[in-house]
Amino acid sequence: ETPNAAVRFQWNGQKCFGVSRTLRNGMQMVVAVPYSKIYSTMWPSVLKIIPIVIFVIIGLIIILQYLMTEICIPILNLTEASFCLSRGELNIPIVIDAENEVGLLAENSRKMAKQLSEYIEFIREQAKSEHEAKEIALNASKAKSDFLANMSHEIRTPINAVLGMDEMIIRESPNENIRRYAANIKNA
């Protein structure tokens, strides 16, 4: 027995669908069913399946609509918001208020954006106060340097005068005691 493919043919004036096989003795065996019989048994089944198929399609449409509105669109919006956050746009609104994991992720993204904004403001204020403190320290250092330079000049002039007079006392004083005191001043 060698199986052959299904074929369409006409027999006794009816269109048929059948399978033909060649037997060992060389004869052909044909098993055939008229189209009318196939259609008469198929249509009731098809008519039963059509409402099920329609129901399944409607169910799929409802599920897809739910997935789009509750998951896909919020995730796309959240993706766009996170892209803006990554560029430093911290004041963008994240308007997802779902009662699921996507909503929780959106709420955490809002909190993260707020904390980042507060942290950046803190850093700016810190840098500003550090800059002001640096300016104050530089001004104080300059004032100290100016004061010391001025005082050095003011102290040097009278000291030079005193040392000059001391030199004169050492050279010209007849009193030995006074010259000893003057020598002590010079050595100090």
Side-chain angles (χ1 to χ4, degrees), residues 129-143:
S129 68
E130 287 173 2
H131 180 72
E132 290 170 356
K134 179 182 174 186
E135 287 296 319
I136 291 170
L138 288 174
N139 289 338
S141 177
K142 184 177 179 337

Side-chain angles (χ1 to χ4, degrees), residues 53-164:
V53 170
I54 291 172
F55 180 74
V56 167
I57 290 172
I58 291 171
L60 287 174
I61 290 172
I62 291 170
I63 289 171
L64 286 175
Q65 180 66 30
Y66 172 79
L67 289 175
M68 288 297 292
T69 58
E70 295 296 320
I71 296 175
C72 294
I73 292 173
I75 286 178
L76 287 174
N77 292 340
L78 197 54
T79 302
E80 184 178 325
S82 67
F83 181 70
C84 291
L85 287 174
S86 72
R87 290 190 320 240
E89 300 171 26
L90 300 177
N91 295 325
I92 60 158
I94 301 174
V95 291
I96 301 166
D97 290 325
E99 296 292 325
N100 56 20
E101 289 80 5
V102 176
L104 183 62
L105 186 59
E107 181 61 29
N108 288 336
S109 295
R110 280 190 286 273
K111 287 178 184 176
M112 180 182 65
K114 182 180 177 195
Q115 289 172 348
L116 280 173
S117 182
E118 290 170 355
Y119 181 70
I120 288 171
E121 186 59 33
F122 171 76
I123 294 296
R124 283 185 184 144
E125 289 174 9
Q126 189 105 10
K128 182 181 175 186
S129 68
E130 287 173 2
H131 180 72
E132 290 170 356
K134 179 182 174 186
E135 287 296 319
I136 291 170
L138 288 174
N139 289 338
S141 177
K142 184 177 179 337
K144 180 185 86 172
S145 295
D146 291 347
F147 173 76
L148 289 175
N150 199 13
M151 286 309 293
S152 173
H153 176 71
E154 293 297 325
I155 291 172
R156 243 187 340 220
T157 303
I159 286 178
N160 284 337
V162 168
L163 289 175

